[in-house]
Amino acid sequence: MARKKLVAGNWKMNGLLASKSLLLEISREYGNAACDILVCPPATLINALRGGTIAIGGQDCHWNESGAHTGDISAAMLADAGADAVILGHSERRTDHGETDEMVAKKTEAAWKAGLMAVVCVGETGDERDAGTTLDRIGAQLDASIPDGATGKNLVVAYEPVWAIGTGRIPEMSDIAEVHDFIRSKLKDRFGGDTAEAVRVLYGGSVKPGNAEEIFAVSNVDGALVGGASLKAEDFGGIISAAK
Ligand code: PGA
């Protein structure tokens, strides 16, 4: 069965209550698109944006359900607020908050327990790409960041080269293909062919309306995780329209 493409917007630390108009515009203009759409706003907005035709996600969660963790939010809380999914292990979390693969795996388990789809991010740094160790890095991240129990419904993998995030630079299409093919084969070794064929693998890092079609045509690319371009309805919409 063909995988339905997913275009996911990562608003990062952007968005106020007034941003509801952005979501409504996306929903009105692109709600009938051929792909699935997910928007991940700051957690403060999940409850305000829930309930429409577009799936809503968080950008991180703690691995515990509740407790003495000032400033953290649990997966159960995201689900309670109306989230359907959560981004985990984004490179900005790994860098800004010292998140390790082991922490990401625990967070993924917590997300699944709360009924959320986990969008687990992996990606090499510029130095790793230059050193030719990209696949080693991605393989190690996949092994340690994804717990047992993955299915096509509860897991999405996002390949985001760290050097491509917010820089306007993207890999060669052949490099994207190499990594996505590798991720698919790693998933197959670990979870079996049926699951591996069902899990969507997104590309992320400087996806724009102008490069989306080319990226979506690459082997084993099942959509995109979009940062900057998800903050403008027209740009996000251009990417959604390219996802057939
Ligand atoms: P970008 O961010 O589209 O602004 O490069 C992607 C991401 O960080 O998910």
Side-chain angles (χ1 to χ4, degrees), residues 3-24:
R3 291 176 295 273
K4 192 171 183 186
K5 285 204 169 41
L6 169 66
V7 174
N10 173 12
W11 284 9
K12 309 191 179 186
M13 200 170 72
N14 299 288
L16 301 170
L17 266 180
S19 313
K20 184 155 188 179
S21 63
L22 171 59
L23 192 85
L24 291 175

Side-chain angles (χ1 to χ4, degrees), residues 71-233:
D72 279 316
I73 292 177
S74 73
M77 290 169 182
L78 293 176
D80 186 53
D84 309 288
V86 59
I87 297 169
L88 294 171
H90 188 280
S91 77
E92 286 150 19
R93 299 289 317 172
R94 292 176 185 265
T95 305
D96 295 355
H97 299 269
E99 287 191 11
T100 63
D101 292 334
E102 291 66 30
M103 288 158 79
V104 176
K106 287 201 288 180
K107 288 170 182 236
T108 304
E109 273 183 359
W112 290 348
K113 201 167 159 216
L116 300 177
M117 181 175 83
V119 181
V120 175
C121 303
V122 296
E124 82 284 4
T125 63
D127 285 349
E128 287 162 344
R129 163 116 346 236
D130 292 345
T133 56
T134 295
L135 296 187
D136 293 342
R137 183 78 188 115
I138 305 289
Q141 286 180 325
L142 289 171
D143 286 344
S145 301
I146 301 174
D148 290 340
T151 70
K153 286 210 159 58
N154 70 15
L155 178 70
V156 169
V157 175
Y159 166 52
E160 298 206 304
V162 177
W163 54 272
I165 295 174
T167 60
R169 294 167 56 215
I170 59 169
E172 300 292 333
M173 295 303 129
S174 55
D175 291 334
I176 296 179
E178 180 187 40
V179 175
H180 279 245
D181 291 351
F182 173 74
I183 292 172
R184 185 82 56 209
S185 77
K186 287 284 294 180
L187 292 171
K188 193 168 172 204
D189 291 348
R190 172 110 180 261
F191 300 109
D194 289 352
T195 297
E197 285 304 317
V199 172
R200 289 177 288 190
V201 183
L202 311 185
Y203 169 79
S206 297
V207 179
K208 310 280 178 225
N211 60 25
E213 200 173 322
E214 189 183 14
I215 292 170
F216 291 155
V218 172
S219 133
N220 281 313
V221 172
D222 304 312
L225 181 55
V226 185
S230 72
L231 296 170
K232 273 200 192 149

